[in-house]
Amino acid sequence: MSMTDNLQAHYAEILGILGEDVTRDGLKDTPTRAAKAMQFLTDGYQKDLNQVINDAVFESDTDEMVIVQDIEFYSLCEHHVLPFIGRCHIAYVPNGKVLGLSKFARIVDMFSRRLQIQEGLTKQIADAVLEVTDAKGVGVVMEGKHMCMMMRGVQKQNSSMITSVMLGAFRDSQNTRTEFLRLIGK
């Protein structure tokens, strides 16, 4: 049985337990669509960092801060399997190598398409950028809105979560950290 077939069977069972008739018009194809959606939303498990980077690390004499900001992300919380969405800002100080621009978004996608908590997601992204660039420092700030807090539980619609990880020069130098936060408007 394929992963899609297996997930489809479980979604049909869950809908039945909830009291739905999975043979009615509106739900006939829902187990299949839900299975395919879940596979897409968690395809980060099928990727590794080398595959995502695809040799897009280049020699460079640039030694000033590089920032990629407002990378949108979509993830699922590992506690409720509900979405959390937001923006990610990544900065690094190169140490002889730079990373292709699109690879930052691909790193964010790879880790966000796994069941996550935002704190862990932020650290995974920072560690990955440091690993592939061997930068002097890496800073990551993520801003997220969590459906598990908005749709259920305390139902707070205007709350958001901000997490940060500062490595190397961003941790060691207040000036570097301050420059990064000022440039992203934090």
Side-chain angles (χ1 to χ4, degrees), residues 3 7-8 21 25 38 59 68 73 89 95 100-101 133-134 150 153 166 170 183 185:
M3 182 189 298
L7 286 169
Q8 178 183 343
D21 173 8
D25 267 353
M38 184 56 76
E59 299 295 321
V68 183
F73 72 89
H89 315 287
N95 188 22
L101 179 60
T133 64
D134 194 31
M150 296 169 70
M166 304 292 169
F170 289 84
L183 288 170

Side-chain angles (χ1 to χ4, degrees), residues 125-152:
I125 293 166
D127 288 343
V129 171
L130 184 63
E131 179 183 331
V132 298
T133 64
D134 194 31
K136 294 175 185 172
V138 173
V140 176
V141 173
M142 298 190 81
E143 306 169 60
K145 293 184 110 10
H146 293 249
M147 297 304 124
C148 59
M149 189 163 171
M150 296 169 70
M151 295 174 63
R152 53 159 305 283

Side-chain angles (χ1 to χ4, degrees), residues 41-53 103-116 121 124-125 128:
L41 295 171
T42 60
D43 74 358
Y45 291 116
Q46 315 310 314
K47 296 177 180 170
D48 67 44
L49 191 54
N50 289 331
Q51 172 192 24
V52 166
I53 298 306
K103 302 309 177 186
F104 292 96
R106 292 185 190 283
I107 289 170
V108 170
D109 285 348
M110 180 181 81
F111 289 113
S112 65
R113 289 187 184 156
R114 299 175 182 185
L115 298 180
Q116 286 285 7
L121 177 56
Q124 290 169 348
I125 293 166

